[in-house]
């Protein structure tokens, strides 16, 4: 047995840990590029605290999922301000923006030069700038991953900028930062967190360390995913989902994901829909297709037993089966009002192109079994 495991240099978890930010940042630089969401005033207290610690802040507001053009413009501004570190406070898009900028500011050339699939996929020549990530959602796990997802309107797809050195220097996961998350975003990011636990768990690249992380996360998601929407101020449920998201990020960064995320990058670029919403729409169909393919072509695969184990964890029942988990996923999507792909703007006339692009994605390579074009098309049809 051989495997590797890499993650952020330091992870700080717990209610109130965001208050440590000024001290942590002061040890890493003096001129901060502070990346936030669409409303930076939400973080005015933290901006003031950084200023009181003697740090100069250039604030960058990210309104949506980052595009190549957004990143290039922000990189120019950060260089002009002579920023020497990056802090990102927000959801996955904000953290990915910060991660990309920390990587690209010290490096020459265009961002496209370093992108997978649509770019040259070149390696970074210079190490990224110091980077601290503070997630305000419980879903992406981006605070402990080594890639940043960027969109290209020209190519109609989302792809990754990826490098082992892009893992954040410090990840501060404070569940209190997620309490103000609106219901729709809570649902979307929660489904993303669940997907990012289930896919690495059944991946053919899984290892004992990632299995342990996924099991701990699935247990927490099972008991708190629905509850955090029904009781948004339940501190224990918010903490469960923040930890589930972190655990999923730790796992996926080391063993890849699967067909859900293989599709999600393409469909996200096509529709502009929130990443977690796309994942939620696809997850039941992908699970069903994987179970059928594994049963027919790889009955001895450990992924089959893992799907049953995931069901036991999610439903907190030793008698639960993979079919029970599938039913639970469908009911959760109904409770969360997750739209169908057709409602997101997907049309069956585009299936062939979507499948072809998805087959080239990095995430598809982590699926427990290779799905052919017919099976992949069937997943899209089931989610339409």
């Amino acid at each position: 047995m051989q495997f590797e495991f890499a993650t952020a240099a330091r992870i700080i978890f717990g209610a109130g840990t965001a208050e440590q930010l000024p001290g942590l940042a002061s040890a890493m630089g003096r001129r901060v590029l502070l990346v936030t969401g669409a409303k930076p005033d939400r973080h005015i207290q933290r901006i003031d605290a950084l200023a009181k610690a003697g740090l100069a802040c250039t604030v960058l507001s990210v309104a949506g999922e980052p595009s190549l053009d957004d990143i290039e413009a922000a990189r120019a501004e950060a260089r002009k301000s002579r920023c020497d570190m990056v802090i990102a406070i927000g959801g996955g898009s904000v953290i990915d923006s910060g991660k990309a900028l920390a990587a690209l500011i010290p490096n020459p050339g265009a961002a496209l030069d370093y992108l997978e699939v649509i770019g040259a996929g070149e390696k970074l020549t210079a190490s990224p700038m110091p980077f601290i990530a503070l997630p305000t959602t419980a879903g992406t796990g981006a605070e402990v991953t080594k890639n940043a997802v960027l969109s290209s309107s020209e190519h109609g797809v989302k792809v990754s900028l990826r490098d082992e050195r892009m893992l954040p220097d410090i990840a501060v996961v404070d569940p209190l930062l997620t309490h103000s998350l609106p219901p729709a975003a809570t649902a979307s990011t929660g489904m993303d967190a669940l997907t990012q636990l289930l896919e690495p768990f059944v991946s053919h690249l899984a290892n004992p360390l990632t299995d342990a992380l996924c099991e701990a996360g699935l247990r927490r998601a099972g008991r708190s995913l629905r509850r955090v929407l029904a009781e948004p101020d339940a501190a224990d449920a918010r903490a469960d989902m923040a930890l589930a998201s972190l655990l999923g990020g730790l796992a996926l960064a080391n063993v890849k994901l699967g067909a859900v995320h293989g599709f999600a990058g393409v469909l996200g670029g096509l529709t502009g829909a929130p990443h977690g919403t796309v994942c939620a729409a696809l997850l039941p169909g992908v699970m069903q297709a994987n179970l059928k393919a594994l049963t027919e072509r790889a009955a001895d695969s450990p992924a089959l037993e893992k799907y049953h184990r995931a069901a036991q964890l999610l439903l907190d029942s030793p008698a639960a089966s993979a079919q029970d988990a599938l039913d639970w996923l469908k009911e959760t999507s109904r409770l969360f009002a997750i739209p169908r792909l057709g409602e997101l703007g997907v049309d069956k006339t585009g299936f062939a192109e979507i499948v072809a692009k998805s087959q080239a994605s990095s995430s598809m390579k982590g699926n427990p079994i290779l799905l052919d074009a017919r099976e992949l098309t069937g997943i899209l049809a089931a989610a339409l």
Side-chain angles (χ1 to χ4, degrees), residues 321-342:
S321 68
Q323 183 59 51
D324 294 327
L326 190 55
D327 293 341
W328 185 86
L329 288 173
K330 291 177 179 178
E331 177 62 12
T332 302
S333 291
R334 187 192 68 77
L335 291 171
F336 286 8
I338 300 297
R340 309 283 296 177
L341 290 184

Side-chain angles (χ1 to χ4, degrees), residues 31 36 38 49 62 81 85 177 189 195 198 205 230 242 265 272 350 362-363 376:
R31 293 183 296 277
T36 74
V62 176
S81 300
M85 67 172 298
L177 299 183
T189 56
T195 305
L198 185 57
L205 298 169
S362 174
S363 290
L376 294 171

Side-chain angles (χ1 to χ4, degrees), residues 52-335:
K52 288 178 181 177
L55 301 172
C57 288
T58 297
V59 179
L60 170 66
S61 174
V62 176
E65 295 183 331
S67 69
L68 281 173
D69 291 342
D70 296 334
I71 293 299
E72 290 291 18
R75 178 162 66 154
E77 179 63 26
R79 285 174 171 171
K80 183 179 177 181
S81 300
R82 296 184 298 125
C83 296
D84 57 13
M85 67 172 298
V86 180
I87 298 173
I89 308 176
S93 296
V94 171
I95 292 177
D96 275 1
S97 296
K99 201 184 305 180
L101 288 165
L104 291 171
I105 290 168
N107 279 279
L112 187 62
D113 296 338
Y114 303 98
L115 290 182
E116 299 174 349
V117 183
I118 62 173
E122 295 179 7
K123 297 295 183 183
L124 300 176
T125 55
S127 295
M129 297 170 66
F131 176 52
I132 302 176
L134 291 85
T136 60
T137 66
T140 68
E143 67 274 13
V144 286
T145 60
K146 56 192 172 188
N147 70 301
V149 179
L150 306 177
S151 66
S152 169
S153 56
E154 178 185 351
H155 300 88
V157 69
K158 296 179 185 178
V159 293
S160 282
L161 169 66
R162 191 185 309 271
D163 190 283
E164 298 288 340
R165 293 167 292 174
M166 285 174 60
L167 286 161
D169 295 280
I170 305 177
V172 181
V173 184
D174 185 341
L176 294 180
L177 299 183
T178 70
H179 280 238
S180 60
L181 200 63
T186 296
S188 172
T189 56
M191 291 299 289
D192 190 20
L194 174 59
T195 305
Q196 293 177 170
L197 289 162
L198 185 57
E199 288 204 301
F201 190 50
V202 300
S203 171
H204 70 96
L205 298 169
N207 63 62
L209 186 52
T210 58
D211 281 352
L213 295 168
C214 291
E215 288 206 11
L218 287 166
R219 183 179 293 108
R220 285 169 171 79
R223 72 190 183 200
S224 293
L225 176 58
R226 293 184 182 181
R227 185 170 166 232
V228 79
L229 199 67
E231 303 173 45
D233 292 324
D236 58 337
R238 289 285 187 185
D240 262 354
M241 291 308 299
L243 186 52
S245 175
L246 173 65
L247 293 168
L250 290 168
L252 75 88
N254 288 278
V255 299
K256 294 186 182 292
L257 288 157
V260 174
H261 279 80
F263 274 127
V266 177
L267 291 172
L270 177 68
T271 66
H275 174 75
T277 299
V278 175
C279 289
L282 290 164
L283 184 56
V286 167
M287 181 174 173
Q288 195 156 17
N290 278 342
L291 286 169
K292 184 174 186 294
L294 288 165
T295 301
E296 292 176 350
R297 304 199 299 274
D300 59 346
S301 169
L304 276 173
E305 180 55 36
K306 282 186 170 182
Y307 270 122
H308 292 299
R309 176 60 180 156
Q312 295 165 7
L313 293 165
L314 287 170
L315 278 65
D316 191 25
S317 169
S321 68
Q323 183 59 51
D324 294 327
L326 190 55
D327 293 341
W328 185 86
L329 288 173
K330 291 177 179 178
E331 177 62 12
T332 302
S333 291
R334 187 192 68 77
L335 291 171

